[in-house]
Amino acid sequence: MPVHASTVTPKSKPDARPMRMALGAGGLAAMSALAAGIVMPPSVATLAPVPATAPQAVDGTAAPAGTLQVKRPVKYIQLVAGQTPPPGAQVIAASAPQPITIVTTIAAPRQVQRAAVIIKTTQSGRVVK
């Protein structure tokens, strides 16, 4: 029996709506992540404290375990006539020589320039001499 074109029903196409929804949701998520990365202020990075291993004593020998040296900054103040220094403060006379800092500049070693090495090859990669 011959089949006529009028009796054949066309195949139904798959529904595209679920895939469109998935692609749309993925696009919104990607755009949201990009916008958050651009707009969000940078966070402050914190470093983990480093444990002190074998602290050195003032005289150069190893300090006992459990001790830690803290170098406190020195604060200089100038006393007005008639003022007295606080108890335990070290007094430096105004006529004492000022500490100096010596800066030594060391030149960097000269850079050696190398000649360029050119390797000629064919299109297949074989080296041509």
Side-chain angles (χ1 to χ4, degrees), residues 11-89:
K11 288 187 176 180
S12 63
K13 294 180 182 176
D15 189 14
R17 281 180 282 158
M19 193 56 156
R20 286 180 185 159
M21 293 293 290
L23 286 174
L28 284 174
M31 189 173 69
S32 173
L34 285 172
I38 292 171
V39 174
M40 186 184 344
S43 61
V44 178
T46 58
L47 298 176
V50 178
T53 57
Q56 297 293 321
V58 177
D59 59 357
T61 61
T67 62
L68 182 64
Q69 294 181 2
V70 177
K71 186 174 181 179
R72 296 188 176 150
V74 179
K75 183 178 179 182
Y76 293 99
I77 59 169
Q78 189 168 2
L79 299 176
V80 182
Q83 283 186 326
T84 58

Side-chain angles (χ1 to χ4, degrees), residues 109-115:
R110 294 189 60 168
Q111 297 292 326
V112 178
Q113 289 198 351
R114 298 180 183 176

